[in-house]
Amino acid sequence: MKTRRDAMKFAIAGTAATPAILGSKALARPPAQEANDPCRIDAPQWTGGIEGQRKADQGNGFYLNPVIAGDYPDPSVLKDGEDYYMTHSSFEASPGLLIWHSRDLVNWSPVGPALRKPLGTVFAPDLVKHGDRFFIYIPFMRAAWSTGLASFANIFVIHAQSIDGPWSDPIDLGIGGLIDPGHVVGEDGRRYLFLSAGTRVRLTADGLQTDGAVETVYEGWRYPDDWITEAYALEGPKLFRRGDYFYLVSAVGGTGGPATGHMIIASRSRSIHGSWEHCPHNPIQRTRSDEEMWWSRGHATCVEGTDGRWHMMYHGFENGYRSLGRQTLLEPIEWTADGWFRATGGDLSKPLPKPSGRAVTHGLARSDDFARTSLGTRWNLHGSAPAEAGRVSAHDGWLALSGKGTGPQDCSPLVQQVGDRAYDVRVELELVGAATGGLLLFFNDRLFLGMGIDGQKMVTYRGGKSSYWAEPAPSLRRLSLRIVNEHQIVTFYYSTDGMAWTRHGVRNEVSGYNANTMDDLLSLRPALFATGAGSVRFRRFVYKALA
């Protein structure tokens, strides 16, 4: 089983130019052509947040999606009084499960990672509160570095007295072969987990063990066979109770594939034990055309605002920017006279009325002075065993990363998310011992691009491998590197003093660096890497969003 999407499908089966010396001047671009080109006067206009990062809150009572830009998929949202908390699939990130806090569903501030030591690849979790305790139910997919997982898919749980932690170590619920847990308390007062493929298991009162066998209890709504989707793939069950009914919100149609595939459906029942009635308005939301701004929309959590208005939080790919991954979207819903709900946001390309609530400071700075490691918030190790956190240390304004492997493909680089259509990243690095290090845009171990130095030469990476291109960079052990991604056109630079930049001889176009190309649900992210027997010291990582 080669990729996490293979695992997911199995789990739900049956259901060259001469270099030029340049300054910091922005690159010129060709005239606008496409409908979503940023030069069009009718293109979406976001508010600038930290470092110019795009921000949903328009400052005038409206917001413009995404509410969290970048690869933050499968959102699980918890309302706790006037506070909202959310976490997402963290996949190969270690630490994982970054928790976010909001008061208005639009502005989100990071709390910190709940999962310090992932046991495998983290699929869609469920964040809940029961009594006075917080729980996160987590599917761990077996990874190359995993040990002790019984199945290729395994459901665990962690818990904490406070959302700030400390969180417990993962507890094995003994559920194999299924993903996407959704917690609910039935009318009988018992706790249940709904899972992929319409299955369910009862939990003990403390929520830390199963109490019975996994059984199939639900058949999802079926769309017409001639609709263009990836696969049926009944997944992502999220449940809530309103009035006399339990509502079961699911995703079908496949997470990737065609733009029109992923969709949101709903069913309801007066009892947690069924029978389940399908919503006559299904699908609740679906991308109808690849001309829309947001594609493959699904995996929704419904949440009631403090003002009584309801919304759905779900994910979607941005038209023309699939390389950013599945981003977190917020859409209003309205309740109909017959006790169902409808989506009212359209294709989400226009501003929408903002929910009530006080705005927290949104987002986080991507730049880093390396006063500390910031693991789990700003940075994560990709595809690494928990013990590898010891490879990273920060002191005196330098971050030290111990070498591993032979190249970006097997070194578990240090990565961070990015949510802007255009941005500039730069960092100074110094080699220590027999190491190679550099700056990348990294999708996964099979697809990346960037620059590395070994003290003798510069290695150029393209398409997930070292390139034939021999860039005439100076033979130094200390150099500043810079990557500019301007609307999918990527340009490399290097500098001996961090001020005068030499443009690398090759540019790249990276729209194909996405999940459909690689059959892997990730995004293209800035990354620092170190290979070999030595280590690499990094200083002054700077991120800047470009208009």
Side-chain angles (χ1 to χ4, degrees):
M1 201 161 300
K2 295 182 178 179
T3 70
R4 63 180 55 81
R5 285 180 69 193
D6 289 335
M8 178 185 71
K9 292 172 186 175
F10 187 77
I12 57 180
T15 34
T18 301
I21 304 297
L22 300 175
S24 300
K25 189 175 180 179
L27 301 175
R29 296 193 307 104
Q33 299 293 330
E34 298 182 0
N36 64 349
D37 191 287
C39 286
R40 290 175 57 96
I41 59 173
D42 59 345
Q45 299 295 318
W46 287 274
T47 304
I50 299 170
E51 301 162 333
Q53 298 175 45
R54 57 179 174 168
K55 179 181 174 183
D57 194 338
Q58 301 282 282
N60 59 0
F62 288 81
Y63 72 96
L64 178 62
N65 278 293
V67 291
I68 302 185
D71 193 27
Y72 295 99
D74 305 317
S76 176
V77 186
L78 165 65
K79 182 184 179 185
D80 185 24
E82 294 186 351
D83 296 293
Y84 305 95
Y85 299 101
M86 177 165 56
T87 193
H88 306 80
S89 293
S90 52
F91 297 120
E92 299 284 350
S94 181
L97 293 180
L98 177 60
I99 295 175
W100 298 80
H101 169 246
S102 178
R103 284 289 184 91
D104 62 1
L105 294 173
V106 171
N107 295 281
W108 293 87
S109 179
V111 176
L115 187 62
R116 292 289 175 180
K117 298 179 178 180
L119 303 180
T121 303
V122 176
F123 268 34
D126 197 28
L127 171 63
V128 301
K129 187 179 184 182
H130 185 77
D132 60 356
R133 184 161 289 272
F134 296 89
F135 299 80
I136 305 180
Y137 292 90
I138 312 166
F140 286 117
M141 311 301 291
R142 188 185 293 150
W145 44 268
S146 297
T147 58
L149 293 180
S151 175
F152 74 91
N154 312 265
I155 307 296
F156 281 66
V157 61
I158 60 177
H159 59 95
Q161 191 69 45
S162 167
I163 196 71
D164 300 306
W167 290 84
S168 72
D169 290 335
I171 299 169
D172 190 356
L173 293 177
I175 303 169
L178 296 165
I179 58 174
D180 293 8
H183 177 274
V184 66
V185 178
E187 76 276 13
D188 55 6
R190 304 296 297 271
R191 301 174 68 174
Y192 298 86
L193 275 188
F194 281 66
L195 302 155
S196 58
T199 57
R200 187 192 71 182
V201 66
R202 190 169 64 230
L203 299 174
T204 55
D206 63 6
L208 303 180
Q209 299 179 72
T210 60
D211 184 22
V214 175
E215 54 186 343
T216 299
V217 297
Y218 172 68
E219 292 186 7
W221 176 82
R222 292 273 175 171
Y223 51 80
D225 190 57
D226 60 352
W227 284 15
I228 305 301
T229 68
E230 182 185 39
Y232 179 66
L234 177 60
E235 60 185 3
K238 295 292 183 234
L239 296 100
F240 64 97
R241 193 174 189 180
R242 182 179 184 270
D244 296 331
Y245 288 98
F246 291 92
Y247 293 84
L248 171 54
V249 181
S250 305
V252 293
T255 300
T260 55
H262 212 29
M263 67 191 83
I264 301 165
I265 64 170
S267 301
R268 73 182 183 186
S269 173
R270 293 184 182 273
S271 170
I272 201 63
H273 305 295
S275 59
W276 294 95
E277 172 192 6
H278 298 317
C279 178
H281 313 309
N282 280 335
I284 301 298
Q285 184 55 279
R286 179 195 180 209
T287 302
R288 307 278 176 174
S289 164
D290 60 10
E291 295 182 358
E292 293 183 30
M293 181 174 172
W294 293 99
W295 294 358
S296 302
R297 291 188 276 169
H299 203 107
T301 299
C302 293
V303 60
E304 183 180 11
T306 56
D307 57 2
R309 290 184 291 169
W310 283 74
H311 289 76
M312 294 189 298
M313 192 81 75
Y314 57 87
H315 64 226
F317 286 108
E318 188 171 359
N319 187 343
Y321 293 89
R322 261 186 168 145
S323 61
L324 289 174
R326 294 170 296 161
Q327 305 184 58
T328 304
L329 310 174
L330 180 69
E331 178 171 11
I333 58 176
E334 65 178 11
W335 289 94
T336 58
D338 55 1
W340 292 103
F341 61 93
R342 294 179 182 270
T344 61
D347 69 358
L348 306 189
S349 62
K350 305 297 183 183
L352 295 165
K354 195 172 86 65
S356 65
R358 177 179 58 83
V360 300
T361 300
H362 179 75
L364 72 159
R366 299 294 176 184
S367 299
D368 200 342
D369 61 5
F370 299 126
R372 59 185 184 277
T373 58
S374 302
L375 283 177
T377 50
R378 185 179 288 116
W379 298 99
N380 303 91
L381 285 166
H382 174 87
S384 70
E388 289 189 27
R391 293 178 54 216
V392 185
S393 62
H395 51 85
D396 299 329
W398 290 88
L399 181 138
L401 179 62
S402 297
K404 176 189 175 184
T406 60
Q409 72 280 359
D410 60 2
C411 74
S412 295
L414 202 58
V415 302
Q416 65 165 282
Q417 297 292 352
V418 63
D420 294 300
R421 291 176 167 189
Y423 55 88
D424 181 328
V425 292
R426 57 189 76 184
V427 71
E428 179 185 347
L429 65 88
E430 180 180 12
L431 306 178
V432 180
T436 295
L439 178 65
L440 305 168
L441 295 184
F442 184 88
F443 187 88
N444 66 7
D445 56 0
R446 294 172 290 136
L447 189 60
F448 47 83
L449 69 160
M451 299 163 285
I453 61 170
D454 61 7
Q456 301 297 319
K457 64 183 182 303
M458 174 174 284
V459 180
T460 300
Y461 300 99
R462 305 178 73 195
K465 61 183 187 300
S466 57
S467 169
Y468 66 87
W469 181 266
E471 179 65 22
S475 299
L476 298 174
R477 297 181 61 82
R478 185 167 176 170
L479 199 64
S480 291
L481 302 179
R482 175 185 173 198
I483 296 178
V484 176
N485 183 349
E486 192 159 11
H487 306 285
Q488 309 286 23
I489 304 301
V490 171
T491 308
F492 303 153
Y493 302 87
Y494 50 94
S495 172
T496 59
D497 61 5
M499 298 178 64
W501 295 92
T502 299
R503 179 173 60 81
H504 190 287
V506 176
R507 283 196 178 98
N508 301 268
E509 199 281 337
V510 296
S511 60
Y513 287 59
N514 65 56
N516 276 355
T517 301
M518 296 308 296
D519 195 29
D520 212 353
L521 294 169
L522 292 169
S523 64
L524 192 60
R525 298 152 288 166
L528 310 177
F529 81 96
T531 70
S535 64
V536 181
R537 300 172 68 205
F538 295 93
R539 185 169 178 240
R540 289 195 303 261
F541 179 85
V542 178
Y543 177 92
K544 180 182 178 182
L546 304 177

